[in-house]
Amino acid sequence: MRDDFQLLPPVDIIIPHYRGEEHLERCLRSLANTRYPSMGIVVVDNASQTPGLQELIERFAGVRLLALPQNRGYPGGCNAGFSATKAEFLVFMNDDTRHDPNWLEPLVTAARRDGCIAALQPKILSLREFEQGNNRFDYAGAAGGMLDRLGYPWCYGRTFSGVETDNGRYDTPRNIFWASGVAMFVRRSVFEELGGFDDSFFMHMEEIDLSWRMQLAGYTVRSVPSSVVYHEGASSLAYGSPEKTYYNHRNNLRMMLRNMSVGSLMVAFSARLLLEPAAALFYLTKGRRGYRNAFAVLKALRDFLMELPETLRTRTRVQALRKRTDKALFKGLPFSIFYPWRKSFFNHAGQDGLC
């Protein structure tokens, strides 16, 4: 064993759990094979009422169970887990993941090398494709999350036509806009400084909102492709479900209003006032499930407007963090991901930290 291996700091992994104990058991079994000297795990039970959960947890060394009286969603579960930990570095992780045995050390090494790094994302590959002998990215994060100037998220390794094969194209670490909640490595001091995730998001885009706030405060978010995590995906909500559509649309608009400058908002919201109804009309062409998704978009718009006063109050607190202009944050990024892809998008270097 290397002498410096024992000097690596403890890391706490926080896993919110609601349903699918089989996923959780496979995840914990995989984490038990992680080659890292000091790693704690907190499973946050979001009032799942899963029978035998405590017995399952007790089968794995170094794993604790934190039971919540009600389902607080992904961000609320993560925040509760954070309060139950003390490590300098944290990983917020989905319970439908598996892991390369050496996935953790590269993340710790990168964070210790640069104190301006607030969050890191490993390379996220599709578990289902991997089990079939294919090396393809996972939709939820792929090789690192990005954002266009209209507030729409996209990823390196993921396009509108689907996910790409991992052929080494994204194997160079780079600044990214957001780190996926599938496996989001976070510096504890920054997470605490910014107040953690916003519980009100409940699920979807809370990690993008947090990553955005990190950058506004002068920190950086980066990819670490030498760290590999496999993700099954769609274990909480199926792709294309109306509930997923609702949270994606509501939370995306809320996130934009909280984090964008006034000038950026004037442009982005002018476009989104047309694009949101257009999305609802598009769903109407997709049959019965499309009708439900169209209604979900309209419901998201309604709730966004009803929650406007609280969002504006939160905006005041978020904007007080601002150390970077939107011009600097979005430099080199596309106005819209609906435009044809350009090589320059993939060469986006991001901004260095200001801390």
Side-chain angles (χ1 to χ4, degrees):
M1 183 179 294
R2 302 193 325 263
D3 292 338
D4 60 338
F5 191 68
Q6 294 291 348
L7 300 178
L8 291 169
V11 177
D12 283 327
I13 299 173
I14 298 169
I15 306 174
H17 171 75
Y18 182 64
R19 61 166 67 101
E21 58 270 25
E22 292 181 2
H23 288 304
L24 178 61
E25 182 178 1
R26 288 194 294 265
C27 176
L28 294 177
R29 191 182 303 122
S30 174
L31 286 172
N33 295 322
T34 297
R35 298 182 185 129
Y36 194 82
S38 181
M39 183 182 75
I41 301 173
V42 177
V43 174
V44 181
D45 180 18
N46 263 325
S48 68
Q49 300 181 338
T50 301
L53 186 57
Q54 180 65 51
E55 289 78 5
L56 171 62
I57 296 301
E58 290 174 354
R59 288 163 46 192
F60 297 92
V63 182
R64 293 180 289 146
L65 178 64
L66 175 62
L68 302 183
Q70 62 185 23
N71 183 5
R72 292 176 54 184
Y74 182 88
C78 288
N79 287 337
F82 168 79
S83 299
T85 62
K86 296 181 179 180
E88 177 185 358
F89 298 116
L90 308 163
V91 182
F92 299 105
M93 178 170 285
N94 284 11
D95 61 7
D96 58 345
T97 53
R98 298 191 206 176
H99 324 82
D100 179 271
N102 298 307
W103 72 277
L104 187 51
E105 186 178 352
L107 297 167
V108 175
T109 300
R112 297 179 79 191
R113 188 179 296 129
D114 184 353
C116 282
I117 290 175
L120 296 165
Q121 182 194 302
K123 180 192 295 183
I124 303 175
L125 300 177
S126 168
L127 178 58
R128 295 176 184 177
E129 292 286 343
F130 177 73
E131 290 176 336
Q132 296 174 19
N134 301 319
N135 218 32
R136 293 180 65 80
F137 287 106
D138 182 73
Y139 186 86
M146 304 300 291
L147 203 72
D148 72 12
R149 295 169 190 257
L150 295 180
Y152 289 114
W154 53 282
C155 299
Y156 291 115
R158 183 185 92 194
T159 66
F160 280 113
S161 59
V163 293
E164 300 176 26
T165 296
D166 177 22
N167 57 12
R169 181 182 185 184
Y170 307 109
D171 278 357
T172 300
R174 67 183 76 204
N175 286 0
I176 55 178
F177 202 98
W178 53 275
S180 172
V182 167
M184 185 180 191
F185 182 98
V186 172
R187 190 181 301 275
R188 181 185 195 87
S189 59
V190 179
F191 189 84
E192 191 166 26
E193 173 189 341
L194 300 181
F197 294 109
D198 187 326
D199 282 25
S200 67
F201 277 55
F202 196 74
M203 63 171 63
H204 297 307
M205 300 210 180
E206 63 281 317
E207 76 268 53
I208 306 179
D209 173 73
L210 176 59
S211 297
W212 202 337
R213 285 185 279 133
M214 288 173 170
Q215 293 182 88
L216 286 176
Y219 299 101
T220 56
V221 181
R222 287 184 64 80
S223 68
V224 182
S226 57
S227 170
V228 179
V229 170
Y230 301 91
H231 181 226
E232 183 161 346
S235 61
S236 296
L237 290 176
Y239 293 122
S241 75
E243 191 174 2
K244 183 184 286 285
T245 298
Y246 167 79
Y247 282 116
N248 277 333
H249 283 262
R250 187 200 68 165
N251 291 347
N252 184 263
L253 292 171
R254 178 188 288 176
M255 175 181 69
M256 290 171 60
L257 183 56
R258 288 158 53 104
N259 294 290
M260 277 187 172
S261 68
V262 173
S264 297
L265 278 173
M266 290 177 65
V267 175
F269 262 90
S270 296
R272 293 295 292 272
L273 286 174
L274 299 174
L275 291 170
E276 291 300 298
L281 291 173
F282 170 77
Y283 282 123
L284 287 176
T285 68
K286 299 298 180 180
R288 180 174 297 179
R289 171 168 281 191
Y291 298 155
R292 296 174 62 202
N293 277 290
F295 177 77
V297 173
L298 298 177
K299 183 172 180 277
L301 287 171
R302 181 203 67 186
D303 289 354
F304 167 72
L305 293 173
M306 290 179 63
E307 297 160 359
L308 204 54
E310 177 57 32
T311 305
L312 289 172
R313 283 191 290 271
T314 306
R315 173 183 169 79
T316 300
R317 296 194 296 269
V318 171
Q319 292 301 311
L321 301 169
R322 185 179 285 276
K323 294 181 180 179
R324 283 193 178 119
T325 65
D326 280 12
K327 182 178 180 181
L329 278 180
F330 288 92
K331 183 179 180 181
L333 292 176
F335 177 74
S336 171
I337 54 174
F338 296 105
Y339 283 3
W341 293 96
R342 295 185 304 171
K343 185 177 179 181
S344 61
F345 297 173
F346 297 104
N347 293 331
H348 172 74
Q351 298 295 311
D352 292 330
L354 302 177
C355 59

